[in-house]
Each structure stands twice: as structure tokens, then as C-alpha cells.
């Protein structure tokens, strides 16, 4: 399976987990990307009709497509903001309209943090978002990983040659995104290894 498909499938499994099993009904999806099939609000609404979703992207083309898709959806909105400026996301009037930060909410940052530079300091950025989380909130994230695995090295070289965007960062940086948070089982793993609902149930039963 391609990297993009693995990432997208992880996003859908993670969001489903948050809506269906964790009971989250407020989502801020930063770096949401161009709307495609099975977008976050569509997955969420299957399990939590009426749940609120704020899409955030800095790309005006993404905004135009998302607005067209969401024109008559009052539970979901899209804003243009830079993830490197968390206050611009969290204090945006549309975010304040849909998200009650006194209640648990989910921060979704899938295939986003590797676009931030070291100067922008993604660990600090995530930390600033986490400062607005009350207990029961969640972080769902998945990013390019610099790993010793031979296949991972080949992938890193290929992505850097072709995409020319995206910083591969080592495990400790990915762990640091979750500092201060309790991990959902199975913890920090390759995206393809984050389980489906059925396999998580089997593991729980077996355990
Ligand atoms: C690879 S796409 C990921 C889309 C979606 N999250 C997914 O996983 O399918 C990355 C998106 O992040 C956006 N992006 C990159 N840097 C950003 C930033 N600093 N602030 C907000 N959005 C950003 C890009 O415009 C792009 O739409």
C-alpha cells in the first residue's frame, strides 16, 4: 500500500476510534488537506451525528474546495490559518463558535507536523495546542519517521527527492508530541500497525 493510503486509512481508523469509542464530539483537524473520500466530518458523523469539526489549512485552494463541500453543513467549518501559530487556530471566531475548550476535544494533526521546520519547533507547537486541552481530550497524529529500518531509509530518500517537502524526524521527537498525555493502546507505532476496532477487541479479549 502507498504511504498516502496508509496515512489516510490511519486517519480514518483514528477518527473512528475517537468518535465511536472515546465519545469525542469536537474535532480540530489541522492540516486537513484537500477534501477527498471519507473526510473527518463524514467519518465522525457516522458515529456522532451533530459533532463539531473545524478544518484548518494554510492553503487557499484547500479552503476553496472545503468550503464548497461544506456549504450547507452547520456543524463543520473550515478556516485558513498556519499551524505554527496555534493562537490563530484556537482563537479564530469560527473555532470559538464550534469548539468548547472547557469540554474534551480532539486535535487531529495527520501528515502535518513534518511540514513544520525545526525553527517552527513542532514539539512546542503541539505543546501550545495541548495547553488548551482539558482531561479527556485527545491528540491524533501521524508523521514521517526517520528510522533505522532499511525500507524506511529508501523511502526517506525517495520522498526527499520527489516531494521536496517533509522532514523525517526520529522516534524521540514523535514521543515528545505526546509528553504529558496518556497513550491509548498500542501506543506509538507505525501507522499501519495502529489497530482496527475489531483487532483491538481481539487483543483486549486475548489480553
Ligand atoms: C499531506 S496533507 C495532509 C492532509 C490530511 N491531513 C491527510 O492526512 O490526508 C498536508 C496538509 O497540511 C497543510 N499544511 C502544511 N503546512 C501547514 C501549516 N503550517 N499550517 C496549516 N496547514 C499546513 C498543507 O496545505 C496540506 O493541505
Amino acid at each position: 500500500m502507498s504511504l498516502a493510503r496508509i496515512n489516510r486509512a490511519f486517519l480514518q481508523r483514528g477518527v473512528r476510534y475517537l468518535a465511536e469509542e472515546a465519545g469525542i464530539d469536537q474535532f480540530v483537524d489541522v492540516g486537513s488537506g484537500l477534501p477527498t473520500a471519507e473526510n473527518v466530518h463524514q467519518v465522525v458523523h457516522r458515529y456522532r451525528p451533530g459533532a463539531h469539526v473545524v478544518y484548518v489549512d494554510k492553503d487557499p485552494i484547500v479552503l476553496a474546495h472545503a468550503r464548497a463541500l461544506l456549504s450547507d453543513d452547520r456543524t463543520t467549518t473550515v478556516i485558513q490559518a498556519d499551524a505554527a501559530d496555534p493562537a490563530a487556530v484556537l482563537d479564530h471566531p469560527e473555532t470559538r463558535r464550534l469548539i468548547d475548550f472547557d469540554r474534551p476535544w480532539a486535535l487531529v494533526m495527520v501528515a502535518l507536523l513534518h511540514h513544520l521546520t525545526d525553527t517552527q519547533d513542532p514539539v512546542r507547537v503541539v505543546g501550545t495546542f495541548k495547553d488548551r486541552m482539558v482531561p479527556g481530550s485527545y491528540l491524533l497524529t501521524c508523521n514521517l519517521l526517520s528510522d533505522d529500518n532499511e525500507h524506511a531509509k529508501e523511502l526517506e530518500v525517495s520522498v526527499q527527492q520527489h516531494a521536496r517537502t517533509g522532514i523525517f524526524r526520529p522516534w524521540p521527537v514523535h514521543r515528545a508530541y505526546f509528553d504529558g498525555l496518556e497513550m491509548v493502546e498500542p501506543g506509538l507505532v507505525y501507522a499501519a500497525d495502529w489497530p482496527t476496532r475489531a483487532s483491538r477487541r481481539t487483543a483486549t479479549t486475548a489480553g
Side-chain angles (χ1 to χ4, degrees), residues 99-126:
I99 307 294
D100 175 359
F101 289 110
D102 292 331
R103 295 180 47 243
W105 60 285
L107 173 62
V108 178
M109 288 182 151
V110 173
L112 176 267
L113 292 168
H114 50 237
H115 292 296
L116 300 189
T117 63
D118 289 344
T119 310
Q120 287 173 318
D121 192 351
V123 173
R124 177 197 58 82
V125 166
V126 174

Side-chain angles (χ1 to χ4, degrees), residues 7-8 31-33 57-59 62 81-83 110-112 115-116:
N7 177 73
R8 200 71 198 165
S32 49
D57 208 288
K58 68 171 188 181
D59 182 346
V62 169
D82 191 330
V110 173
L112 176 267
H115 292 296
L116 300 189

Side-chain angles (χ1 to χ4, degrees), residues 10-194:
F10 168 81
L11 171 65
Q12 287 156 4
R13 287 199 303 284
V15 166
R16 174 178 175 164
Y17 168 82
L18 292 172
E20 187 184 22
E21 297 185 52
I24 294 292
D25 62 2
Q26 313 189 91
F27 294 78
V28 181
D29 179 6
V30 188
S32 49
L34 279 171
T36 155
E38 292 283 273
N39 296 294
V40 165
H41 73 291
Q42 291 161 323
V43 176
V44 165
H45 286 166
R46 202 170 300 137
Y47 305 100
R48 299 262 149 204
H52 289 181
V53 178
V54 177
Y55 288 119
V56 183
D57 208 288
K58 68 171 188 181
D59 182 346
I61 296 171
V62 169
L63 272 277
H65 282 275
R67 283 200 178 114
L69 177 78
L70 299 171
S71 59
D72 53 2
D73 189 331
R74 296 187 57 76
T75 62
T76 303
T77 192
V78 55
I79 65 170
Q80 185 173 11
D82 191 330
D85 181 4
V89 174
L90 296 165
D91 297 330
H92 191 286
E94 278 294 277
T95 311
R96 307 295 293 202
R97 180 174 73 81
L98 285 183
I99 307 294
D100 175 359
F101 289 110
D102 292 331
R103 295 180 47 243
W105 60 285
L107 173 62
V108 178
M109 288 182 151
V110 173
L112 176 267
L113 292 168
H114 50 237
H115 292 296
L116 300 189
T117 63
D118 289 344
T119 310
Q120 287 173 318
D121 192 351
V123 173
R124 177 197 58 82
V125 166
V126 174
T128 309
F129 278 99
K130 286 189 303 191
D131 287 345
R132 291 282 182 97
M133 288 181 170
V134 294
S137 301
Y138 286 82
L139 166 66
L140 177 71
T141 190
C142 166
N143 303 284
L144 295 173
L145 168 72
S146 175
D147 201 3
D148 289 338
N149 172 305
E150 191 185 322
H151 177 63
K153 281 283 164 220
E154 279 168 24
L155 185 71
E156 184 170 344
V157 170
S158 162
V159 168
Q160 280 166 348
Q161 277 171 353
H162 297 105
R164 289 202 302 271
T165 170
I167 300 174
F168 285 68
R169 295 190 165 98
W171 284 99
V173 174
H174 296 268
R175 259 181 231 113
Y177 295 142
F178 294 95
D179 279 352
L181 300 180
E182 200 180 307
M183 281 282 188
V184 170
E185 286 299 318
L188 189 61
V189 293
Y190 296 124
D193 293 341
W194 210 76

